[in-house]
Amino acid sequence: MRLLADPARAAIVDLLAAGPACTCHLVDDLGLTQPNVSNHLRALRHAGVVKAEPYGRYTYYHLNADALEAAAAHLTDLAARARAAADRRREC
Amino acid sequence: MRLLADPARAAIVDLLAAGPACTCHLVDDLGLTQPNVSNHLRALRHAGVVKAEPYGRYTYYHLNADALEAAAAHLTDLAARARAAADRRREC
DNA sequence: CCGACGCATCACCGGAAACTGATATCACCA
DNA sequence: TGGTGATATCAGTTTCCGGTGATGCGTCGG
C-alpha cells in the first residue's frame, strides 16, 4: 500500500479504476515514457494491486479491488482504534 | 496519505493508535533519534494526520481519525469504481 | 536565577528510488 | 518470413528523501 505514495502510480491506479486498459493507453494518457510506465506496473503487479492479462500482442491491466479494500480496512481499523483510545494518555 | 509509505511514520501512527503520547515516548519505543522522530511528526502534522497538543514542557500527539477515514474512503471508492468498470475494456 | 530537560529546526550527507536510453522478446501482418 | 509494433527488462544517471549532528528555544526544578 506504500506503492500508492508515488504520484505516477496513483495516476495509474486512478486510470485503471475507470476500466481495464493496456500499457499503451496508460503511456498516452499519462505522458510518461513506456519503460517508466512498465516499471511502475511491475511494482504494482508484484504487490498484487493490479493484475496483468496478456491479450494477443497487448497486455491489459486491471485493478485488484480486494487489495485496495484490504488497505482501506487497515486504515479504518487505525481510525477506530484512535477514536477508542483518544483519551488514554500515557504519562511521562 | 502518501505519508504512511515510510515505515517509521507507519510505526508512529500505529503507536498513536493506542492512545496519545509525547515525543519522548515515541523516541523510546521506536529506538529512533529525537530529531528524526520530530521531523516525521512535523510531516504528519502538516498533512493533518496527527495533532500536536503542548502540555507543559511536553508535547502530546494524537491521531486525527477523520483524516485516516478520509483516506480509507478514497481507497474504498477506488475499489468500488474498479469493480463497477471491471469489464469495460478500452480498445487499442 | 541557573542548570537540566523536552522539543523543534537547520544544514549536511548518503542511499534508495524514479526517470532515461538502449536492447531483447514476442505477436501480428504483408 | 521479414518487418513492425507492443511490451518487458536492464544499466546508468539524477533527483529526492530519510537519517544524523549541532544548535536554539521554552519550560520546569533547585
Side-chain angles (χ1 to χ4, degrees):
Chain A
M1 112 126 194
R2 57 174 296 173
L3 292 170
L4 306 176
D6 187 81
R9 281 193 295 256
I12 289 178
V13 169
D14 201 65
L15 278 180
L16 290 181
C22 72
T23 309
C24 57
H25 287 142
L26 303 174
V27 170
D28 287 345
D29 294 351
L30 298 174
L32 303 175
T33 62
Q34 179 268 323
N36 190 8
V37 172
S38 202
N39 276 325
H40 286 305
L41 285 173
R42 171 167 50 167
L44 293 170
R45 198 189 331 144
H46 279 114
V49 178
V50 304
K51 221 176 64 184
E53 207 173 323
Y55 190 78
R57 125 175 89 165
Y58 308 104
T59 305
Y60 275 87
Y61 283 90
H62 61 87
L63 284 184
N64 179 9
D66 291 343
L68 293 177
E69 281 171 355
H74 178 233
L75 287 181
T76 52
D77 174 62
L78 278 178
R81 278 163 47 201
R83 286 197 195 281
D87 47 4
R88 195 176 299 170
R89 188 167 50 193
R90 297 169 60 183
E91 298 301 331
C92 274
Chain B
M1 111 127 195
R2 58 175 296 176
L3 293 169
L4 307 176
D6 187 80
R9 278 189 298 252
I12 289 178
V13 170
D14 200 67
L15 277 179
L16 290 182
C22 70
T23 309
C24 57
H25 287 142
L26 302 174
V27 171
D28 287 344
D29 293 351
L30 298 173
L32 302 174
T33 62
Q34 180 268 321
N36 189 8
V37 173
S38 201
N39 276 325
H40 287 305
L41 284 172
R42 171 168 50 169
L44 293 170
R45 199 188 331 142
H46 278 112
V49 178
V50 304
K51 222 177 63 182
E53 207 172 322
Y55 190 78
R57 128 171 90 165
Y58 308 105
T59 304
Y60 275 86
Y61 282 91
H62 62 87
L63 285 183
N64 180 10
D66 291 343
L68 294 177
E69 282 171 354
H74 178 232
L75 287 182
T76 52
D77 174 61
L78 278 178
R81 278 162 47 199
R83 287 197 196 281
D87 45 5
R88 194 176 301 172
R89 188 166 49 194
R90 297 169 60 181
E91 299 301 330
C92 275

